Amino acid sequence: MIPLPGFDEGGQPHVVVERVQLDGSRRKVPRGFGGGRNFGDRKKHADDLNGDIDFVLSDVAARTPTLGIDPKLILVVETLASTQSVAEEANWQRSGLRIVDTSSTKRVVAFSDDPAMSLFLTRLEAYSVGPKNGQSSATHEAFFDNIDNVRPYGPQDRLGVELQTVLRQADRDDEITVDVEVWYPGDIATAESWLTLIGDAISSASGVVHDSFSSEASGLALMRISAKAGIVRQLLNVDLVAKVEVLPDSLTINASPSEVSADTVADLPVPDEASPLVGIIDSGVVANHPLLRGCVVEAVTTSTWIEDGADRHGHGTAVASILARGSLDGQISSNDWDAPPFRVMSVRVLDENAQIPPYRLAERELTDAAIYLAQQGVKVINLSLGDLNSMIVGNRAPSIAALLDALSRSLNVVFVVPTGNVAPREYAGQFDESLAVDYPLRMLESPNARLLDPAPAATALTVSSLVSPLKPLPLGTVPLGKPAWPSPVSRIGPGIGDAIKPELCAPAGTMGQDQESYVLVEPDELQIAVADGRLNSTGVITHDFGSSLAAPHVSRVAALVASKYPRASGNLIRALTLQSAEPVPLDFLSPSNTFTEGASASEGRRFVGYGQASSLRSAESAIRDTVLIAESEVPVDGVHLYAVPVPEAFFTRKRASRGMTVTLSFDPLVRARRMDYLSTRLKFEVVRGLPADEVIELFLSEAEDSAAGRRVKIHNRRGLKVSGIPTQKRIAMEPSQTVRSLGANQLARKTWQNSLPRFNDFPNDFFVVVQSLNRWAPSTSMQAYALTVRLWVDEKLPPIYEEVRTKVSSARIRARGRVQTR
């Protein structure tokens, strides 16, 4: 990777910046419900909904217990839009219903403890009467006007895609092992009682409950059972059940036969005994492998169903070799090996078939493994796994993704995960001569190339794979893609709620195509070198490709940050890893002229995110490349303000590049099966040429002077609006705030080719505003976050590091002096 000009002198510590001590709650904006009604005839619409409710109630009344479990009143409300009036849980609670799923943008699933739905029908009757006392809208109109229809939640809603195929072919007495998701009703005690109720029913029907798992933090209630196909079919009629699916497929390793002997890689340098740890949860590792000897501190298992931590499949060893050694190809060819900067700690959760043991839930095994690693002091965990049966659909968070988000918050760790792999046959259609250059466009058009669980996890750093530098190929073979293009096997985003996913990318190989037959081939020249940990292998190094091998490259960058800043939170590690990303050219979309420049960038991010992570500037600043860092906690609906000095080089009148990159990472509460998956959304804006109090006026109606411990009222005397800030004072960064703020890992860039204007009558500082927008977090909660600001100039301009560091230090001293004199 080629760094920006002038970035050749590193070794400087990042600069800690403190926020301006004036903050408070954001200005409350009344929520509207749009212009016009969806249903002009309120009475008719109410009658239609009454008819739907009658059908739902009669359906429940007519049914008998299934597997001894009484029917429960559960209904699906189809909505016209994902409006606040429908998604807001308080509206449903006031109607006597408990929401259990709003993950679809046009569907709400709720329980009613009242078999007659009295409260709901009473409110519906009030709506049907129309406006009263001269009002323009009917009572509860915003709520009912966006409800299209109501229906029961039935067996087809619960039936997994793969299970449907299995049941179609199974006889009644064939035994099937399935994963069962039970509705999470909002409290852990009720969820566990429902798990017990279903478990007892399965046992009474001669089935076996292998495992059950519940998580209040992620809103999950799960179980793994084995039962006859006839019993599984009955389970699809149990109202407490949300989903039933067969077990996920196993991981595959496409490795070729080994061609490098152990003698070739003997006596390699090993990490220092004090080197930091990086964790891996996978199929275990071969700890005495020549590439890993001296690098693996521990290879264990936390599962009672796996005998030890040794790798008997090969996947974990391949991943661990990249974690420890980085890219192997150059080191093999030169026989010049770097000393690993980290030690590896491995927890095995996969058996010899690269599957979670058949009698344990993946969520439980991963939780136990992550807790163990965190207890050993590991801050970065590589999880190159994916559920091949769980592709992201709509807005729903897959179960492992939700679990990782809960664990990253509770354990203060960073998970690095791959996008998951996809075979070109699943999205490409006909293999022809254009496939090698237009496969990215085919991926965009196919619904089969979306992210696999846990890649959508909001707080995890999700990594896609790129085509590696190309080597000479066998005659008649062409590569799919070009160097730095997305790999044709790497899945694409977006994530939950259209969040930018993946965030990062790294080289991990591609496939080839025969020029005559168009058949896809996998020559070693298009893959990357990894350690061969397969049983009975004849050598020590093999070749493979895929997003599983891209993730450990990013884990290395994150681990470097963690080693440099041992007290850093998971948020700061993620923010600095993200800050190191170098943009990837989007020329892989050039075969199509259907994209505008803006749309092309948006579509490109679905493949490569914010760019390729680099260790070059993740943990250190340079004289022309300075990173400011901050960590804090912002209250619900709060605003924090940071003053970032503008270096003199930014004002130098010379045709030369200079720029700014801002990253923001946070770890909100989450809950699966909710439209608002994140409890809190944070966003940032950058402005300059305005006084600090005026900036506050733009975002606040009330602020807290935390230094003095008192609250102050700031009057908006000027009637200012953020949208009214002149363009030269409001920094328009890419991607836009509305796009980047959908995720928990955010980055935005701005580059100037000419000097910035100087404001003689106003401060010239950049002001970075961090704003909290509450969704469903408790009103007293605080949201932790990390912020980084990178300022850089090219080699034509003067250095900036010492100037920025000195100005930040002086501002900190002045602020503390003001506090002491109060």
Side-chain angles (χ1 to χ4, degrees):
M1 182 179 305
I2 301 175
L4 292 171
F7 291 0
D8 56 351
E9 300 180 59
Q12 306 295 331
H14 293 329
V15 179
V16 177
V17 60
E18 295 181 359
R19 62 186 174 87
V20 177
Q21 296 296 324
L22 188 63
D23 55 45
S25 60
R26 68 182 176 92
R27 180 176 294 114
K28 301 290 185 178
V29 179
R31 297 184 185 273
F33 300 111
R37 301 197 308 272
N38 293 312
F39 296 94
D41 191 334
R42 300 181 182 88
K43 182 66 168 60
K44 182 180 184 303
H45 181 48
D47 288 344
D48 289 342
L49 292 181
N50 266 304
D52 292 344
I53 297 297
D54 287 342
F55 177 80
V56 171
L57 296 180
S58 61
D59 174 74
V60 174
R63 287 192 283 118
T64 57
T66 302
L67 296 175
I69 300 174
D70 291 332
K72 187 80 173 176
L73 181 55
I74 177 173
L75 57 152
V76 178
V77 182
E78 306 284 359
T79 65
L80 295 174
S82 57
T83 57
Q84 185 70 21
S85 58
V86 173
E88 181 120 7
E89 291 196 18
N91 287 323
W92 296 91
Q93 293 169 354
R94 287 190 288 267
S95 298
L97 299 172
R98 279 187 290 168
I99 286 183
V100 291
D101 184 3
T102 57
S103 59
S104 169
T105 56
K106 292 189 177 182
R107 191 180 77 167
V108 176
V109 182
F111 276 105
S112 174
D113 291 319
D114 174 13
M117 292 187 62
S118 304
L119 285 175
F120 187 89
L121 292 175
T122 298
R123 289 164 66 89
L124 181 59
E125 173 62 25
Y127 159 74
S128 70
V129 172
K132 295 180 180 180
N133 303 324
Q135 295 180 342
S136 59
S137 300
T139 306
H140 314 307
E141 181 159 326
F143 181 71
F144 287 107
D145 187 59
N146 281 292
I147 295 178
D148 189 19
N149 62 78
V150 181
R151 64 173 178 84
Y153 189 87
Q156 283 301 124
D157 295 300
R158 301 183 179 91
L159 181 62
V161 175
E162 300 299 327
L163 178 60
Q164 184 173 5
T165 302
V166 171
L167 288 179
R168 192 181 299 123
Q169 302 169 353
D171 293 330
R172 178 181 178 83
D173 292 332
D174 290 348
E175 187 171 278
I176 304 174
T177 301
V178 295
D179 283 343
V180 181
E181 181 183 0
V182 177
W183 291 117
Y184 190 85
D187 66 279
I188 193 72
T190 303
E192 291 179 344
S193 70
W194 288 358
L195 286 170
T196 300
L197 185 62
I198 296 173
D200 291 344
I202 295 298
S203 299
S204 298
S206 300
V208 179
V209 177
H210 301 298
D211 197 9
S212 64
F213 176 84
S214 59
S215 168
E216 184 175 19
S218 52
L220 293 173
L222 309 165
M223 57 198 318
R224 177 166 290 184
I225 69 164
S226 291
K228 295 179 178 179
I231 300 302
V232 173
R233 289 189 179 98
Q234 291 186 59
L235 194 60
L236 295 172
N237 290 289
V238 174
D239 293 314
L240 302 181
V241 171
K243 189 73 175 288
V244 185
E245 183 60 285
V246 294
L247 306 191
D249 295 333
S250 61
L251 290 169
T252 59
I253 185 166
N254 305 307
S256 58
S258 296
E259 297 179 355
V260 178
S261 66
D263 294 339
T264 310
V265 290
D267 300 322
L268 300 184
V270 298
D272 186 89
E273 292 184 357
S275 298
L277 298 173
V278 59
I280 175 175
I281 300 176
D282 212 291
S283 64
V285 298
V286 178
N288 64 349
H289 189 285
L291 287 177
L292 296 177
R293 193 176 296 130
C295 300
V296 181
V297 174
E298 195 173 43
V300 301
T301 182
T302 53
S303 174
T304 57
W305 294 90
I306 295 177
E307 60 272 33
D308 55 40
D311 188 5
R312 291 171 175 79
H313 177 267
H315 188 270
T317 301
V319 172
S321 67
I322 298 175
L323 276 178
R325 300 283 178 185
S327 178
L328 302 183
D329 293 275
Q331 296 176 91
I332 293 171
S333 60
S334 66
N335 199 29
D336 184 12
W337 294 84
D338 299 326
F342 320 111
R343 296 172 298 153
V344 175
M345 179 169 284
S346 167
V347 178
R348 180 184 172 194
V349 297
L350 302 179
D351 62 18
E352 63 277 5
N353 298 314
Q355 288 183 310
I356 295 290
Y359 303 134
R360 295 282 280 181
L361 286 163
E363 291 77 7
R364 180 179 297 282
E365 297 288 72
L366 294 176
T367 297
D368 292 346
I371 290 174
Y372 179 83
L373 288 173
Q375 290 173 340
Q376 311 311 309
V378 170
K379 298 296 290 289
V380 177
I381 300 175
N382 191 95
L383 186 68
S384 286
L385 309 178
D387 184 344
L388 301 182
N389 292 348
S390 183
M391 185 171 63
I392 184 173
V393 177
N395 207 52
R396 180 192 169 193
S399 61
I400 299 177
L403 177 71
L404 294 193
D405 284 328
L407 288 173
S408 66
R409 179 183 172 96
S410 63
L411 300 178
N412 193 26
V413 297
V414 175
F415 289 101
V416 181
V417 300
T419 57
N421 293 336
V422 60
R425 66 176 179 274
E426 296 183 44
Y427 67 81
Q430 181 180 0
F431 289 180
D432 52 30
E433 62 182 359
S434 67
L435 178 65
V437 294
D438 71 5
Y439 67 85
L441 303 177
R442 302 191 194 192
M443 296 180 81
L444 286 174
E445 295 168 355
S446 173
N448 299 324
R450 296 291 305 280
L451 303 175
L452 291 181
D453 191 15
T459 56
L461 291 174
T462 304
V463 186
S464 66
S465 60
L466 302 177
V467 177
S468 305
L470 298 178
K471 305 173 185 175
L473 292 175
L475 190 65
T477 300
V478 296
L480 264 62
K482 301 176 182 178
W485 279 30
S487 170
V489 299
S490 187
R491 290 178 174 270
I492 64 174
I496 301 166
D498 289 331
I500 292 176
K501 286 282 179 177
E503 291 97 342
L504 297 165
C505 52
T510 183
M511 306 177 75
Q513 186 179 31
D514 184 88
Q515 286 181 296
E516 293 186 2
S517 66
Y518 304 135
V519 171
L520 299 186
V521 294
E522 301 174 4
D524 287 355
E525 292 84 352
L526 293 178
Q527 304 183 35
I528 63 172
V530 293
D532 192 347
R534 295 170 294 174
L535 289 175
N536 304 317
S537 62
T538 58
V540 295
I541 292 177
T542 184
H543 290 82
D544 199 1
F545 64 99
S547 63
S548 287
L549 305 179
H553 287 288
V554 172
S555 294
R556 284 173 58 86
V557 177
L560 181 63
V561 173
S563 66
K564 189 72 174 181
Y565 301 94
R567 296 184 180 179
S569 67
N571 289 328
L572 182 56
I573 294 171
R574 285 188 284 126
L576 283 172
T577 303
L578 204 61
Q579 179 68 256
S580 76
E582 300 287 356
V584 174
L586 303 182
D587 57 335
F588 56 86
L589 292 177
S590 61
S592 170
N593 58 7
T594 61
F595 297 103
T596 65
E597 183 176 349
S600 178
S602 175
E603 299 294 350
R605 282 191 293 268
R606 295 179 60 185
F607 293 87
V608 298
Y610 296 113
Q612 186 174 345
S614 169
S615 60
L616 186 67
R617 290 294 172 259
S618 60
E620 293 181 341
S621 291
I623 61 173
R624 290 182 174 85
D625 179 17
T626 303
V627 176
L628 290 78
I629 60 177
E631 289 193 86
S632 190
E633 292 184 332
V634 62
V636 166
D637 290 328
V639 170
H640 283 177
L641 185 67
Y642 292 86
V644 176
V646 181
E648 284 299 313
F650 276 53
F651 300 122
T652 302
R653 295 188 175 183
K654 182 180 290 187
R655 181 74 176 176
S657 298
R658 61 213 91 190
M660 174 189 229
T661 304
V662 180
T663 68
L664 175 69
S665 290
F666 61 105
D667 54 355
L669 295 168
V670 299
R671 49 186 178 184
R673 288 190 173 270
R674 292 299 196 273
M675 184 182 301
D676 278 329
Y677 174 63
L678 308 181
S679 65
T680 305
R681 291 188 184 275
L682 298 191
K683 64 179 184 179
F684 65 84
E685 294 264 17
V686 182
V687 299
R688 64 179 294 263
L690 298 171
D693 64 337
E694 190 168 315
V695 175
I696 291 293
E697 286 187 50
L698 295 172
F699 293 92
L700 302 176
S701 61
E702 187 176 73
E704 177 183 357
D705 186 339
S706 56
R710 58 187 174 84
R711 300 188 66 80
V712 296
K713 184 71 175 181
I714 296 182
H715 300 284
N716 190 338
R717 299 181 303 274
R718 305 174 183 86
L720 296 173
K721 294 182 179 180
V722 172
S723 59
I725 302 175
T727 55
Q728 63 179 196
K729 294 186 177 182
R730 185 182 184 186
I731 311 302
M733 308 188 78
E734 178 61 29
S736 68
Q737 182 267 122
T738 55
V739 173
R740 64 182 182 254
S741 64
L742 298 174
N745 297 313
Q746 304 174 24
L747 177 148
R749 301 181 176 98
K750 176 67 176 180
T751 300
W752 295 270
Q753 297 298 329
N754 295 307
S755 61
L756 272 64
R758 194 187 296 272
F759 303 108
N760 296 324
D761 298 329
F762 298 100
N764 281 289
D765 289 347
F766 291 116
F767 284 112
V768 182
V769 184
V770 177
Q771 188 171 10
S772 164
L773 304 176
N774 188 31
R775 290 300 187 261
W776 48 268
S779 60
T780 58
S781 65
M782 302 288 287
Q783 177 58 63
Y785 68 89
L787 177 76
T788 77
V789 181
R790 175 185 183 186
L791 303 173
W792 62 268
V793 297
D794 76 13
E795 57 191 2
K796 298 177 183 177
L797 296 171
I800 63 173
Y801 179 83
E802 282 300 327
E803 178 191 354
V804 171
R805 186 187 64 81
T806 300
K807 287 182 176 179
V808 168
S809 298
S810 298
R812 185 184 304 125
I813 293 172
R814 288 196 303 271
R816 289 174 179 170
R818 287 195 297 270
V819 171
Q820 292 170 359
T821 58
R822 288 184 179 180

